Amino acid sequence: MPEARENRRGQRREAVSLDTPRESRRPWLSRPQVDPDAFGRASEGFARFMGTGRFLVYMTVFVAVWLAWNTFAPKSVQFDPRALNYTLLTLILSLQASYAAPLILLAQNRQDDRDRVLNEQDRSRDERALADTEYLTREVAALRISLRDVATRDFVRSELRSILEELAEEGVTVSASPSRDAKRKGGKKRKRVTDPAAPTRVAEPDSGPEREVPTPEG
């Protein structure tokens, strides 16, 4: 008998080892399939409705009508008498509170997930904006450094002035070249000016050849 038990244990150990996955067993009862998005939207709508003044007004009217009917109506038509301390109303309000709390928590969890996603998007956007700002800052700094080696107009003028002073001290005369504006003005054609005292030639159609007409001064 002990040998047979040991053989069975050895067979079981060989059959089931730690490196082999365990087969999943089918549950006796099938789990209900619920759409999380649809259920979450419904819970958010319910939570929003409970947080409005309209829900409070409806709830107050319902409770007031319930209490008035079961207090002042005839006992034969009362369904939740006062003698039983409104047991049915208490049960309804307890059920409402027990269902409202998980729905509100579910809506709050969905809102937290939404806020987390928005915060991640804002963080990534801020990181990209910071990287762009740092890149632009480096580019501006590089431009400033490169502009330091560029000769400005004032620097060139001061250098030319110092060269002219050195040449003047050495006794060398330098003639100033005409500027572009002067060249342009000098290169323009001069207008022809007529002498008012000179006679003008007028061609008369009937007389044939041209003749000189004296001016009023002549």
Side-chain angles (χ1 to χ4, degrees):
M1 294 295 292
E3 295 179 356
R5 290 179 181 178
E6 289 180 359
N7 292 331
R8 289 177 182 177
R9 289 178 182 176
Q11 291 177 359
R12 289 178 182 177
R13 290 175 182 175
E14 292 177 357
V16 179
S17 59
L18 296 176
D19 57 350
T20 57
R22 189 175 182 180
E23 296 181 358
S24 61
R25 298 179 180 179
R26 294 183 179 179
W28 293 97
L29 297 176
S30 60
R31 297 179 181 178
Q33 300 294 332
V34 180
D35 188 4
D37 292 335
F39 195 76
R41 288 193 296 270
S43 64
E44 286 180 352
F46 180 75
R48 290 193 185 95
F49 177 70
M50 287 189 65
T52 58
R54 184 172 58 181
F55 173 77
L56 295 176
V57 172
Y58 290 166
M59 193 68 185
T60 303
V61 172
F62 173 76
V63 173
V65 171
W66 186 289
L67 294 176
W69 180 267
N70 292 286
T71 301
F72 301 106
K75 293 183 179 181
S76 58
V77 296
Q78 291 181 4
F79 51 87
D80 190 16
R82 182 181 180 182
L84 298 177
N85 296 324
Y86 308 109
T87 306
L88 184 58
L89 178 62
T90 305
L91 179 62
I92 291 173
L93 295 178
S94 300
L95 288 174
Q96 178 189 359
S98 61
Y99 277 99
L103 290 175
I104 292 172
L105 289 176
L106 179 60
Q108 186 176 1
N109 292 334
R110 283 175 60 86
Q111 185 64 33
D112 293 339
D113 296 338
R114 193 180 297 110
D115 294 340
R116 188 180 302 108
V117 172
L118 292 176
N119 291 332
E120 291 178 357
Q121 292 178 356
D122 294 339
R123 189 180 299 108
S124 61
R125 192 182 300 109
D126 293 340
E127 290 177 356
R128 289 196 300 269
L130 180 60
D132 295 340
T133 304
E134 291 178 353
Y135 173 75
L136 293 175
T137 304
R138 290 193 297 269
E139 290 295 324
V140 171
L143 288 174
R144 288 182 177 178
I145 293 172
S146 61
L147 286 175
R148 290 178 183 175
D149 300 333
V150 177
T152 59
R153 184 175 58 183
D154 297 334
F155 176 76
V156 173
R157 286 182 177 178
S158 62
E159 291 295 325
L160 291 175
R161 191 178 296 108
S162 61
I163 292 171
L164 292 174
E165 290 177 357
E166 290 177 359
L167 292 175
E169 290 177 358
E170 293 178 0
V172 179
T173 59
V174 180
S175 61
S177 60
S179 61
R180 293 182 178 179
D181 297 336
K183 290 181 179 179
R184 289 178 181 177
K185 291 180 181 179
K188 290 182 179 179
K189 293 182 179 180
R190 296 181 179 179
K191 294 183 180 180
R192 185 176 180 182
V193 181
T194 57
D195 189 4
T200 58
R201 297 180 178 272
V202 180
E204 296 182 0
D206 296 338
S207 61
E210 297 180 355
R211 61 185 182 86
E212 295 181 1
V213 180
T215 56
E217 297 178 359

